[in-house]
């Protein structure tokens, strides 16, 4: 090997050595960057009443030439941000909800189902039967729903998007809560917390398997909310 060849080899070896020394730092920087980008969002309610039609277009539907012409404000709100967080789902959505009667949130869940997202819903047997509940519409659309057996309220209020993002807080998914109540919702992208809530969902999903229903008499006392 000539002098130039040895010199090139030495330069390459030195470059490789520097690269190996920098690799741990680069990996730490990349991990820190992912941590910085992890979603952390807090929503407070009541939400301003805004138009959400642009978010809830069915697959293949073409919006009007000038967009929605309704008189509602066309701007961001706590509800629209919640809808965006849900509609970001690409593979799966787990819902564990005490009360679910919001038409906008119901349409969003059906829209995800139409897009091929696997949706599973756990809810409370009493509140799913109230007028205005979205649960019957979700079942009619072919979405899997399970409920408790009247042994105490299924009072959870959380959603898990793509097994990566947790949505939880005090908010019942009802128009009353969204438009009138003082409520909070936390949107959190954190693997450890998501895993805890996902484990809880799977535990309840198995417990509420219809094959295990016994339908105890209504004489059993209900716990308070």
């Amino acid at each position: 090997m000539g002098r130039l060849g040895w010199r090139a080899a030495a330069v390459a070896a030195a470059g490789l050595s520097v690269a190996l020394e920098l690799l741990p730092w680069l990996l730490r920087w990349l991990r820190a960057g992912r941590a910085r980008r992890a979603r952390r969002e807090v929503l407070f309610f009541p939400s301003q009443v805004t138009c959400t039609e642009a978010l809830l277009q069915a697959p293949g539907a073409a919006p009007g030439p000038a967009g929605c012409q309704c008189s509602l404000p066309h701007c961001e709100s706590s509800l629209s941000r919640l809808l965006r967080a849900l509609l970001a789902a690409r593979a799966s959505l787990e819902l564990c909800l005490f009360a679910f009667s919001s038409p906008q949130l119901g349409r969003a869940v059906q829209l995800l189902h139409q897009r091929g997202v696997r949706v599973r819903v756990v809810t409370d047997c009493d509140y799913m039967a109230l007028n205005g509940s979205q649960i019957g519409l979700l079942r009619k659309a072919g979405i899997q729903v399970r409920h408790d057996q009247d042994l105490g309220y299924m009072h959870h209020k959380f959603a898990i998007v793509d097994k990566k993002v947790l949505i939880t807080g005090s908010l019942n998914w009802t128009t009353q809560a969204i438009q009138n109540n003082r409520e909070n919702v936390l949107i959190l992208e954190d693997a450890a917390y998501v895993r805890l809530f996902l484990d809880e969902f799977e535990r309840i999903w198995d417990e509420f398997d219809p094959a295990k229903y016994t339908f105890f008499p209504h004489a059993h006392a209900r716990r308070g909310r």
Side-chain angles (χ1 to χ4, degrees):
M1 182 182 294
R3 183 178 297 178
L4 291 178
W6 281 109
R7 183 175 297 175
V11 170
L16 179 60
S17 176
V18 171
L20 290 174
E21 289 180 6
L22 290 176
L23 183 59
W25 176 86
L26 178 61
L27 292 174
R28 287 195 299 271
W29 181 81
L30 290 173
R31 285 195 293 268
R34 286 195 296 269
R36 286 193 297 270
R37 291 191 297 271
R39 187 167 187 174
R40 301 285 192 277
E41 188 174 0
V42 177
L43 308 180
F44 292 109
F45 294 81
S47 176
Q48 178 186 4
V49 178
T50 60
C51 178
T52 57
E53 287 304 307
L55 298 174
L56 297 171
Q57 293 291 325
C68 179
Q69 299 297 309
C70 75
S71 59
L72 293 175
H74 290 71
C75 60
E76 287 285 11
S77 64
S78 291
L79 175 59
S80 69
R81 289 161 65 191
L82 176 56
L83 286 168
R84 288 184 190 280
L86 288 172
L87 291 168
R90 294 295 178 267
S92 64
L93 177 67
E94 280 80 33
L95 299 176
C96 202
L97 301 169
F98 173 60
F100 189 175
S101 62
S102 165
Q104 293 97 330
L105 292 171
R107 286 176 61 191
V109 173
Q110 289 198 50
L111 181 57
L112 289 172
H113 176 67
Q114 293 168 27
R115 291 175 179 171
V117 173
R118 185 195 184 201
V119 180
R120 293 184 293 166
V121 181
V122 166
T123 192
D124 182 79
C125 65
D126 286 348
Y127 274 71
M128 66 181 282
L130 296 182
N131 289 336
S133 173
Q134 292 290 306
I135 298 300
L137 296 175
L138 299 184
R139 276 184 156 162
K140 187 176 180 180
I143 293 172
Q144 301 178 78
V145 177
R146 292 184 180 181
H147 60 78
D148 59 343
Q149 297 189 68
D150 200 26
L151 293 176
Y153 288 117
M154 202 308 297
H155 209 236
H156 280 314
K157 307 167 186 70
F158 68 84
I160 303 169
V161 176
D162 287 339
K163 296 180 171 52
K164 295 179 180 178
V165 178
L166 171 66
I167 302 173
T168 188
S170 67
L171 183 76
N172 282 314
W173 287 22
T174 67
T175 300
Q176 163 68 28
I178 291 168
Q179 295 185 1
N180 298 290
N181 293 357
R182 300 290 178 182
E183 307 278 2
N184 66 82
V185 168
L186 175 66
I187 302 174
L188 180 65
E189 188 175 355
D190 185 297
Y193 285 100
V194 169
R195 172 50 55 189
L196 291 171
F197 276 82
L198 189 57
D199 287 347
E200 172 69 357
F201 181 90
E202 296 293 356
R203 185 189 67 78
I204 297 174
W205 183 257
D206 179 69
E207 180 184 340
F208 291 177
D209 185 338
K212 300 178 180 179
Y213 287 167
T214 56
F215 295 103
F216 294 107
H218 287 281
H220 283 264
R222 299 296 302 263
R223 294 196 300 269
R225 279 185 288 171

